[in-house]
Amino acid sequence: MATRQEEDILVAQLQKGERKEEAFSKLVTLYKERLYWHVRNMVKNHEDANDVLQNTFIKIFRYINNFKGDSKLYSWMYRIATNESITFINKKAKRLQLSSQEMQDYLVNNLESDVYFEGDKIQLALHKALAKLPEKQRQVFNMKYFQDLKYKEIAEILEVSEGACKSNYHHATKKIEEYLKEA
Amino acid sequence: MKEKRNIPKQTGFKVPDNYFEDFKVDFSRNEVENSSTLETIKSSGFKTPENYLEDFKVEIPSAEKKTSKVISINRNKVFTFISTAAAVALFILFIYKEDTIVPEASELSRLAIEDYLEQNEFDFENEIDYKNNANLSDFHSQLNAVDNEAILEYLSNNTDMTFFLNDE
């Protein structure tokens, strides 16, 4: 992850339009992997993750002038990626005429035949357990458990308090443990 | 010092060729069979196509690259102007239709109806008398023509019916 100083330079270049494409290319290189895994954990499927990631970077490029520096650049980008993923899933659910819960089940059930999923039985069970969680708990769990983000970072991305993140993570792990014991 | 080897003598057991040389702990198998806690699950299990992240590029539409903030605002203004003009034009057209075209159309249609009725010579004074309809009275007379003997014969053939009648 870039330092605050590096971020400031990149943002300045992007906002002023000087060497904008070069700065953007650097931004993509710096964050593509982190944002990819963040999106992938939400949409599950690789092709969908690629679409969402493309849209996320296009939005970042388009709206970089709206970034005021109140938060860190990475948390602003994570927020865009989160919103893009949620919007993508909601649109897909609407197209397939599925409820929010049915959509989560649908995404997880497709993992078994996904060539880009190599998880074993227990990893699949974990994803099934995750699909049963409320949206916020699932997001916090994904960021904490799979991406190893700090509570402070998660709180900034989701625009909630650190305490709320800790509470969500605690409840999520309890529910997942119970689900795995029963599975 | 001579190396000690824990090989049981004459048990009859044997191992596959090179089993101990190739032996590795299969953590994933262990997890599948014994694990039910989060601590033992290491990753999400997702993978990407080969070199996906290395080759990843963002395809920004060419229009996006050229578009500046100023142009974007102007485009919005043009769009607002066009939509306002279209709304006003539609409103004027609507009022014009309300005041002029619609009464004319209703006048014409009334005349057309009168002409049609005259040409087809409808006789509204002699209405159809449904109360004294001949067909209806025929139907009543047919119903009354069924004699009592036929009814009694029907009842005698249907024992259930006579049971109820006698019971009363």
Side-chain angles (χ1 to χ4, degrees), chain A residues 103-149:
Chain A
M103 186 63 202
Q104 286 300 322
D105 294 337
Y106 170 84
L107 292 173
V108 171
N109 290 336
N110 282 347
L111 283 180
E112 285 170 85
S113 57
D114 191 339
V115 290
Y116 295 120
F117 181 74
E118 56 182 9
D120 53 33
K121 197 177 161 187
I122 197 74
Q123 283 165 323
L124 191 62
L126 171 59
H127 285 292
K128 284 182 179 174
L130 268 171
K132 301 290 176 202
L133 295 179
E135 180 72 39
K136 215 58 152 191
Q137 287 181 17
R138 186 165 52 242
Q139 284 179 10
V140 172
F141 185 86
N142 276 334
M143 285 189 259
K144 184 72 189 158
Y145 186 79
F146 291 128
Q147 296 164 63
D148 223 11
L149 292 177

Side-chain angles (χ1 to χ4, degrees), chain B residues 59-78:
Chain B
E59 295 148 15
I60 293 176
S62 51
E64 289 275 342
K65 288 180 187 173
K66 289 171 189 171
T67 305
S68 68
K69 198 178 177 182
V70 178
I71 292 167
S72 170
I73 291 164
N74 282 344
R75 279 174 65 189
N76 284 341
K77 277 184 181 174
V78 169

Side-chain angles (χ1 to χ4, degrees), chain A:
Chain A
M1 203 178 288
T3 62
R4 187 70 192 236
Q5 201 178 0
E6 282 174 321
E7 269 192 11
D8 290 345
I9 294 166
L10 273 176
V11 171
Q13 285 176 334
L14 286 163
Q15 288 183 337
K16 284 176 188 168
E18 296 164 3
R19 297 156 70 192
K20 190 174 183 180
E21 285 186 38
E22 189 188 319
F24 183 69
S25 176
K26 199 172 178 184
L27 190 81
V28 171
T29 308
L30 275 170
Y31 290 103
K32 62 183 177 185
E33 199 162 341
R34 284 170 180 275
L35 291 180
Y36 173 82
W37 290 114
H38 178 62
V39 171
R40 181 74 188 271
N41 278 318
M42 290 178 79
V43 300
K44 314 287 183 201
N45 168 286
H46 166 71
E47 298 301 330
D48 292 347
N50 181 48
D51 286 347
V52 174
L53 189 63
Q54 287 285 345
N55 289 343
T56 300
F57 276 116
I58 289 170
K59 289 263 168 83
I60 290 167
F61 186 86
R62 190 182 293 167
Y63 298 115
I64 191 68
N65 288 314
N66 293 0
F67 175 67
K68 303 294 177 200
D70 300 333
S71 60
K72 285 179 183 170
L73 179 66
Y74 83 86
S75 55
W76 181 72
M77 293 196 299
Y78 262 79
R79 215 175 299 145
I80 293 175
T82 307
N83 290 339
E84 284 295 307
S85 304
I86 293 169
T87 306
F88 182 89
I89 292 169
N90 289 344
K91 277 184 186 171
K92 198 170 179 176
K94 199 175 177 186
R95 198 169 62 244
L96 297 169
Q97 295 183 319
L98 297 174
S99 69
S100 179
Q101 184 55 58
E102 285 168 341
M103 186 63 202
Q104 286 300 322
D105 294 337
Y106 170 84
L107 292 173
V108 171
N109 290 336
N110 282 347
L111 283 180
E112 285 170 85
S113 57
D114 191 339
V115 290
Y116 295 120
F117 181 74
E118 56 182 9
D120 53 33
K121 197 177 161 187
I122 197 74
Q123 283 165 323
L124 191 62
L126 171 59
H127 285 292
K128 284 182 179 174
L130 268 171
K132 301 290 176 202
L133 295 179
E135 180 72 39
K136 215 58 152 191
Q137 287 181 17
R138 186 165 52 242
Q139 284 179 10
V140 172
F141 185 86
N142 276 334
M143 285 189 259
K144 184 72 189 158
Y145 186 79
F146 291 128
Q147 296 164 63
D148 223 11
L149 292 177
K150 292 171 186 164
Y151 284 121
K152 194 183 172 187
E153 293 169 331
I154 299 169
E156 212 172 298
I157 293 161
L158 297 177
E159 294 179 301
V160 293
S161 67
E162 269 187 70
C165 288
K166 284 177 188 172
S167 166
N168 274 312
Y169 187 70
H170 174 76
H171 285 112
T173 48
K174 284 277 174 202
K175 285 179 192 172
I176 292 168
E177 294 276 10
E178 278 170 28
Y179 183 92
L180 291 176
K181 275 176 198 166
E182 287 168 14

